[in-house]
Amino acid sequence: MTLLKFDAVLFDCDGVLVDSEPITNGVLRDMLEESGWKLSSAECMRIFIGKAVKDERAQIEANTGRPLTEDWMLRFRERRNEGLVRELKAIRGAVDAVAKIHALHQGRIACASGADRFKVELQLQKCGLMPYFKGNIFSGHEQPRSKPAPDVYLAAAAALGVDPKRCAVVEDTVTGVTAGVAAGATVIGYSPPELGHDAPRALLATGAVHVFTDMADLPALLG
């Protein structure tokens, strides 16, 4: 199956380019338990996948009975970053797929993430992806609204000088698909069997036009 031809391709980062969700969620689960909210790894994934921790403040405070302070967030980011530096790997096949798509679209690709810029750049650098995205990295933390709002995808399309309707977006969560659809882009869902990604049915129900399970298939899907 080949989808429509696109003028640019916009990638989510966590769970699409880098296998960071198990690491980040492991740190989050541990710190929430230390604060009084005990969750299994699967429960923590289900609640927080695709979302910024700071945007879930009300839920965290309700379940821990404590305020979510800036000091707590700082310690979370420090522990998360240590884990990423120690353990992070690229999604299988992602580096090769990105290299092919970068060449196919004459460099008109971007990384549009809901995460903070430091994390996104750390991850792309560690996994050998920075050469393809340098200068075209967008963080939801720097937009008026983060995902599921479309702002980060609209900013990426504008910077590339491309109509969002002529963009393909690659996402692995309902939150991200919602953002891509709201931007007017064509969203392709990535849903491999491993933990850390929303199910194909959920991505399709949210508006993804197609779901694939192997990054090696993505360049052909984009024509």
Side-chain angles (χ1 to χ4, degrees), residues 17 98 102 107-112 117 120-121 124-125 128-138 159-160:
L17 298 173
V98 166
H102 184 271
R108 290 190 305 277
I109 69 171
C111 179
R117 177 171 293 274
V120 179
E121 293 186 347
L124 295 178
Q125 191 70 49
L129 287 157
M130 184 60 86
Y132 304 107
F133 292 106
K134 191 169 185 178
N136 289 315
I137 298 167
F138 302 86
L160 291 172

Side-chain angles (χ1 to χ4, degrees), residues 59-136:
Q59 185 172 198
I60 291 171
E61 292 180 345
N63 283 280
T64 62
R66 302 182 188 186
L68 187 66
T69 64
E70 279 308 307
D71 180 62
W72 193 96
M73 285 300 304
L74 181 63
R75 284 186 289 113
F76 165 69
R77 291 190 190 107
E78 286 174 349
R79 285 170 62 170
R80 175 202 71 186
N81 292 346
E82 287 168 5
L84 292 171
V85 167
R86 191 170 56 245
E87 301 173 41
L88 184 68
K89 292 182 173 65
I91 290 287
R92 183 172 52 85
V95 177
D96 187 54
V98 166
K100 289 176 179 174
I101 293 163
H102 184 271
L104 186 71
H105 289 85
Q106 291 82 51
R108 290 190 305 277
I109 69 171
C111 179
S113 173
D116 57 277
R117 177 171 293 274
F118 182 87
K119 180 184 184 223
V120 179
E121 293 186 347
L122 179 156
Q123 295 182 141
L124 295 178
Q125 191 70 49
K126 180 165 171 59
C127 292
L129 287 157
M130 184 60 86
Y132 304 107
F133 292 106
K134 191 169 185 178
N136 289 315

Side-chain angles (χ1 to χ4, degrees), residues 32-72:
L32 289 173
E33 183 167 328
E34 290 161 14
S35 298
W37 185 14
K38 188 166 185 176
L39 293 166
S40 68
S41 296
E43 286 171 331
C44 193
M45 283 273 196
R46 179 179 55 78
I47 294 167
F48 292 99
I49 191 83
K51 298 172 184 171
V53 174
K54 66 182 180 62
D55 292 341
E56 301 305 306
R57 178 182 301 274
Q59 185 172 198
I60 291 171
E61 292 180 345
N63 283 280
T64 62
R66 302 182 188 186
L68 187 66
T69 64
E70 279 308 307
D71 180 62
W72 193 96

Side-chain angles (χ1 to χ4, degrees), residues 133-181:
F133 292 106
K134 191 169 185 178
N136 289 315
I137 298 167
F138 302 86
S139 164
H141 285 226
E142 296 167 4
Q143 305 301 323
R145 303 168 298 171
S146 195
K147 300 175 186 179
D151 302 28
V152 72
Y153 282 121
L154 294 174
L160 291 172
V162 175
D163 184 336
K165 293 183 176 63
R166 297 288 304 160
C167 292
V169 159
V170 187
E171 273 285 359
D172 73 319
T173 67
V174 164
T175 302
V177 172
T178 302
V181 170

